[in-house]
Amino acid sequence: MSRNFISNVSIQYEYFDIQLDHPDWTGKKVLDFGGNNGNILSDPNCNISEGNYHCIDVSKEAILIGQNKYPKATFKFYDCFNPSFNPIGILDLPIPDLGVRYDYIFAYSIFTHILKDETIKKVNQLIHYLAPGGTLIFTFLKADYNGGKEYHGYEDITNLEKRIRKLNNGFLDQELFLNGQGNSYMALFDGKDLYTQDNYHLCPEESNVDTLFTYYSPEFLKSQFECVIKNPPSAPYDEFYPAELQHSCIIKNKGK
């Protein structure tokens, strides 16, 4: 059955504005890939024009809400399979081409829920939709990053450990956690099954999955894309995952 996920997170504009060093948003065409119901526009400081904003998301209900809230913007339902957010969607469905080439493409906490091979395919599709000189920026989780301690004084705990505990009522499966050490990529399913590059062939998307979190090392992403990696901003932007401040991968289209 479909899971129409509605997000209330509205920190995306501030996050991307900081990561991109406060660009001039005037007249810039923006694609918010996985933008849900357009929460980025709800930030009172957002300087992105509603008419230049485009959103693609796998939640049909979120798209309908966004269309009603921001009638000048463009919203497109993307019926692509995702084990957590659209389990009845179409596997490997290409990202729709809305006939626009974008100055900026955002993906906040999207490739944190998509498997490695699909992430690589989708990122390359999004690069194709950039205007000359355009920028794609997406967030990712670094498994061994200790954002809580560094920025907020929370417990000494990494992203991976915190997520395992959160999904298991505070319990840490030591064997599971240790299996995640030193991997450049891993996927955590329901807080219980951890898949790495070495056992990726197990195809966990065939099972009934409630939660999927993926983790990448900066080195892995740099091996796949010509990109710049930035650390999280030093502020508690994500109220839901305060110790999981996400890194960002920034890719420029150098075409003219």
Side-chain angles (χ1 to χ4, degrees):
M1 117 181 262
S2 178
R3 302 171 188 169
N4 279 311
F5 176 71
I6 307 300
S7 172
N8 294 316
V9 178
S10 59
I11 48 75
Q12 295 93 326
Y13 174 76
E14 187 171 13
Y15 178 91
F16 288 129
D17 189 56
I18 290 174
Q19 297 294 78
L20 295 171
D21 299 320
H22 310 290
D24 180 3
W25 299 105
T26 306
K28 297 299 190 294
K29 292 181 173 62
V30 172
L31 172 61
D32 196 0
F33 181 64
N36 206 256
N37 59 90
N39 283 325
I40 197 169
L41 295 177
S42 68
D43 188 320
N45 296 314
C46 181
N47 290 317
I48 299 169
S49 168
E50 182 179 327
N52 286 330
Y53 175 83
H54 298 73
C55 175
I56 294 174
D57 199 275
V58 298
S59 172
K60 183 180 290 187
E61 184 177 335
I63 289 296
L64 293 174
I65 291 173
Q67 288 175 333
N68 288 326
K69 286 199 303 183
Y70 305 109
K72 295 180 181 178
T74 300
F75 287 82
K76 177 69 174 179
F77 173 56
Y78 176 36
D79 194 16
C80 183
F81 168 82
N82 182 274
S84 298
F85 300 107
N86 193 25
I88 62 171
I90 301 169
L91 190 66
D92 294 328
L93 184 68
I95 299 170
D97 186 346
L98 302 184
V100 179
R101 293 301 174 260
Y102 300 95
D103 300 294
Y104 293 97
I105 297 178
F106 303 147
Y108 182 87
S109 197
I110 304 304
F111 298 116
T112 57
H113 305 286
I114 295 177
L115 295 175
K116 172 174 65 72
D117 287 358
E118 186 180 2
T119 289
I120 294 170
K121 289 179 183 178
K122 281 182 165 46
V123 168
N124 283 316
Q125 288 178 51
L126 291 172
I127 291 172
H128 179 72
Y129 294 156
L130 285 173
T135 300
L136 165 63
I137 177 170
F138 66 88
T139 67
F140 69 96
L141 290 171
K142 188 170 179 287
D144 61 358
Y145 180 66
N146 191 328
K149 183 180 180 183
E150 181 175 351
Y151 288 123
H152 312 306
Y154 293 126
E155 67 268 36
D156 188 0
I157 190 171
T158 65
N159 279 344
L160 180 61
E161 180 179 348
K162 186 173 184 68
R163 180 51 51 188
I164 293 174
R165 289 185 183 276
K166 189 175 181 69
L167 293 172
N168 291 283
N169 298 314
F171 173 72
L172 177 65
D173 184 325
Q174 288 287 348
E175 182 178 359
L176 184 70
F177 177 66
L178 291 174
N179 285 341
Q181 304 310 295
N183 293 294
S184 60
Y185 160 78
M186 66 190 81
L188 178 67
F189 288 82
D190 293 334
K192 297 178 176 63
D193 298 310
L194 189 67
Y195 296 82
T196 70
Q197 289 177 304
D198 294 329
N199 58 4
Y200 178 77
H201 63 277
L202 292 173
C203 295
E205 72 268 27
E206 296 175 358
S207 62
N208 184 19
V209 173
D210 287 323
T211 65
L212 163 61
F213 287 87
T214 50
Y215 301 84
Y216 298 91
S217 70
E219 293 73 25
F220 174 79
L221 292 175
K222 288 179 179 179
S223 74
Q224 301 298 317
F225 313 111
E226 186 176 351
C227 63
V228 172
I229 304 296
K230 278 199 172 183
N231 293 332
S234 56
Y237 290 122
D238 196 327
E239 60 183 305
F240 297 101
Y241 308 117
E244 287 186 349
L245 287 175
Q246 299 180 37
H247 288 59
S248 62
C249 179
I250 302 174
I251 301 171
K252 296 280 291 186
N253 180 6
K254 297 181 179 179
K256 297 181 180 180

